[in-house]
Amino acid sequence: MRLTRTRLCSLLVALYCLFSIYAAYHVFFGRRRRAPVGTPRGSRKAAAQAKERRGREQSALESEEWNPWEGDEKSEQQHRIKSGLQILNKSTKEKVEHRVQIWGKAAIGLYLWEHIFEGTLDPPDVTAQWREGQSVVGRTHYSFITGPAVVPGYFAIDVDHVVLVLNGREKTKIFHATQWLLYTQNLMQTQKLQHLAVVLLGNEQCDNGWIMPFLRRNGGSVDLLFITYDSPGINGADVLQWPLGVATYRKFPVVEASWSMLHDERPYVCNFLGTIYENSSRQALMNILKQDGRDKLCWVSAREQWQPQETNESLKNYQDALLQSDLTLCPVGVNTECYRIYEACSFGSVPVVEDVMTAGHCGNTSSHHSAPLQLLKAMGAPFIFIKNWKELPGILEKEKTIILQEKVQRRKILLQWYQHFKTELKWKFINTLENSFFMNNKG
């Protein structure tokens, strides 16, 4: 009897334990089971809960279908992207066959690097002693160095091909430029350099004979010379014309086109901010602007003496004048080509250019039939060219009849042309450089 009771108690305890285990299973594991698929109500509830969870985890994908393989696909996609980048980096490194370094010892070098190559410089501070930038174009790695610390013999040279940017505008600048040319000539003689090109800010009267003995064809070390203004020495072979560009030495920036630049009504018909030289056409221009209240149509600010440096305020005023004027008046100075032409293009303000030859030796050969400004004309610049400022009143009257939509279209054409102009210059520069530097090596 006692044995029977013992067995019964053991059975009850065993049943109790089994029941406890079963209940615990449902408590801890039963909630994770999905609702029956065949129950519409359960399906909607499960979908709502799933959507709520997805919303908490990734709100941007709330409306998408849940993908049970989403995590795996993302991992695979990230792996493909990473592998693709590794292959791209490897192929880019493998493609780089040549290295060219540009030594910027004139402000015109910043126009070449920042405006035409669209490169950046580190550090951004324009007063830094040493600034540099890098760019890979095709199979050639280009680097740019500039600043007061770039001094002959005081920096390492780890390239065979160099572009030297020099200022040859007046005697003091020519002296320093000559020191650089003698330095690079010595590097060529000691086989530390193979090829040299020069970008030269030339003299405004085109008196650039001092550099000609340095050309390779004359026994010197310069393979190519890119030179500003309509120099009579330009031959399209080893001496090529180069644009003056914007006044980077006065901190004129790279300008990005905006919606308002294209579409806003501009309060001024024209602008002219500059120096009035005695007995120049600029005096005639000012006299015409003062007649019949034309100066009220235009943003005019004249000074009697040239000022090489800009203040922050004067630079802002000048840029505002370009941005708020449909036309920018570009009278000749010492040379027909001036920074103002390119600066006006940057803001979509059409240059009105005085198309006359200035005193000096520019364009004085039979091959310069389109001078002055033959480079701009050859590229189809959409400017207004005039021979005399007496034509200006008629231009200003015509401007009054042009509706905003037509002006917007004209701005688009000008901005697109200027971008195309810089792009074409870049590729012409690169192709000319590489054909001269590298093709000869293969022969």
Side-chain angles (χ1 to χ4, degrees), residues 331-439:
V332 298
V334 182
N335 192 285
T336 306
E337 187 175 7
C338 60
Y339 298 113
R340 190 189 322 273
I341 294 172
Y342 302 92
E343 292 161 352
C345 291
S346 299
F347 281 94
S349 182
V350 179
V352 181
V353 181
E354 187 178 6
D355 186 18
V356 296
M357 186 67 69
T358 49
H361 303 98
C362 298
N364 290 341
T365 69
S366 58
S367 62
H368 292 79
H369 58 277
S370 61
L373 308 174
Q374 59 180 352
L375 178 61
L376 292 169
K377 290 174 182 176
M379 297 284 283
F383 303 163
I384 299 173
F385 292 98
I386 65 172
K387 292 297 183 181
N388 193 301
W389 286 111
K390 292 180 181 179
E391 301 174 44
L392 182 61
I395 293 171
L396 297 182
E397 286 300 315
K398 184 179 179 180
E399 281 296 306
K400 295 178 182 179
T401 65
I402 301 177
I403 63 175
L404 178 59
Q405 185 177 358
E406 293 173 326
K407 291 179 180 179
V408 169
Q409 184 61 26
R410 186 173 64 181
R411 290 173 203 164
K412 287 182 180 179
I413 291 172
L414 177 61
L415 289 167
Q416 289 172 353
W417 173 85
Y418 186 48
Q419 183 58 49
H420 174 73
F421 172 78
K422 292 185 290 184
T423 302
E424 284 290 304
L425 275 176
K426 173 183 176 180
W427 287 110
K428 183 177 181 180
F429 178 82
I430 288 172
N431 290 335
T432 304
L433 203 69
E434 296 186 359
N435 286 338
S436 176
F437 284 10
F438 310 136
M439 293 302 180

Side-chain angles (χ1 to χ4, degrees), residues 223-251:
D223 296 274
L224 292 169
L225 173 61
F226 298 86
I227 189 169
T228 59
Y229 305 120
D230 298 285
S231 172
I234 293 170
N235 57 20
D238 61 344
V239 182
L240 301 99
Q241 190 166 1
W242 192 250
L244 183 62
V246 303
T248 54
Y249 75 99
R250 297 176 75 140
K251 302 179 183 178

Side-chain angles (χ1 to χ4, degrees), residues 294-352:
R294 296 188 188 101
D295 55 343
K296 294 182 175 61
L297 299 173
C298 302
W299 185 325
V300 180
S301 177
R303 57 176 180 255
E304 295 182 358
Q305 290 187 336
W306 179 68
Q307 298 174 0
Q309 298 301 323
E310 291 274 14
T311 64
N312 290 335
E313 183 180 0
S314 65
L315 180 60
K316 184 180 185 304
N317 285 339
Y318 178 55
Q319 292 183 58
D320 286 345
L322 296 174
L323 181 60
Q324 297 181 38
S325 304
D326 290 310
L327 308 176
T328 294
L329 308 182
C330 303
V332 298
V334 182
N335 192 285
T336 306
E337 187 175 7
C338 60
Y339 298 113
R340 190 189 322 273
I341 294 172
Y342 302 92
E343 292 161 352
C345 291
S346 299
F347 281 94
S349 182
V350 179
V352 181

Side-chain angles (χ1 to χ4, degrees), residues 284-296 393 396:
L285 169 60
M286 292 303 298
N287 291 334
I288 291 172
L289 286 173
K290 290 175 182 177
Q291 296 173 8
D292 301 324
R294 296 188 188 101
D295 55 343
K296 294 182 175 61
L396 297 182

